[in-house]
Amino acid sequence: MQVRGLRGWLAESVGAGLPPEFFRYAAAASLTTGGLVTFGVISFHLTTDGLVPVATVPLVYAGAMAVEALAALVVGSAYDRVGSKVLYVVPVLVALVPALALSSALAAVLLGVVVWGVAFGVQDSTVKALVAELVDAPRRATAYGVFAGIQGALAVVGGGVVGWLYEVSLPALVVVVALSQALALVLLVTTLRRAPDPALHRPAS
């Protein structure tokens, strides 16, 4: 009984019994997490290509964090008002980042940093909200843990692939990220077609 109970607990802790829509969404969100070029790569590009002095990089990062904070507020409010379809923007933003932020023109790179800040802000806040709509309350804590675990694993894999492709071929990096985000968008669309819309449950004003 103890062994069976332990096995059951382990199975539940890794997500056994959670709905398929949850895993589909976790895969979509994790692809966007893994595909988002890290600011470390962007800052390396900024300095090695001589686009900005090293001392300026913290200012660029501070600006990106300001954008991230504003994006989290705006998109969070939009999610409450119009529903989960606002999440469709995430794969699009992630796909744009390498094409802009890793270019050779400073203006494009700075625009890419802004896009990166928006994508990061949405990923760090609003993306997690849909988990509560896909999973019943008794399993939500487990679901959030599994969701974070899948995101973390894809972040490690994505970071390694992006770093390697940066050294090998920037065009290949742009293409690979774009393809991964196309897959994420397909998974997201199929998930949201079956997910309840939180906008339907907001209080009437």
Side-chain angles (χ1 to χ4, degrees):
M1 291 294 294
Q2 289 182 344
V3 173
R4 184 176 301 172
L6 177 61
R7 287 176 179 173
W9 177 82
L10 288 173
E12 288 188 359
S13 68
V14 296
L18 292 175
E21 289 79 10
F22 163 78
F23 288 103
R24 190 180 298 112
Y25 179 61
S30 298
L31 281 170
T32 64
T33 300
L36 184 61
V37 175
T38 65
F39 192 83
V41 173
I42 296 173
S43 63
F44 179 79
H45 179 74
L46 281 168
T47 54
T48 55
D49 274 31
L51 296 172
V52 299
V54 174
T56 307
V57 171
L59 296 177
V60 176
Y61 183 70
M65 289 296 96
V67 171
E68 184 263 350
L70 181 60
L73 292 172
V74 171
V75 179
S77 177
Y79 186 98
D80 287 338
R81 291 178 178 274
V82 304
S84 52
K85 289 181 176 59
V86 298
L87 297 175
Y88 287 144
V89 73
V90 180
V92 178
L93 293 173
V94 172
L96 287 173
V97 170
L100 294 170
L102 302 180
S103 70
S104 57
L106 179 59
V109 173
L110 294 180
L111 177 58
V113 169
V114 171
V115 174
W116 180 89
V118 176
F120 186 72
V122 180
Q123 282 188 348
D124 201 40
S125 57
T126 316
V127 161
K128 300 177 180 67
L130 187 60
V131 173
E133 305 296 327
L134 297 173
V135 180
D136 292 334
R139 298 297 309 279
R140 282 178 190 160
T142 297
Y144 277 113
V146 173
F147 188 83
I150 297 173
Q151 271 194 315
L154 265 291
V156 171
V157 173
V161 171
V162 167
W164 175 70
L165 286 175
Y166 180 86
E167 296 291 341
V168 173
S169 170
L170 282 178
L173 170 56
V174 172
V175 170
V176 168
V177 171
L179 290 175
S180 71
Q181 297 317 295
L183 176 57
L185 186 58
V186 170
L187 291 170
L188 189 56
V189 168
T190 57
T191 299
L192 296 187
R193 282 178 178 172
R194 303 179 182 181
D197 193 336
L200 299 177
H201 306 289
R202 68 176 184 270
S205 56

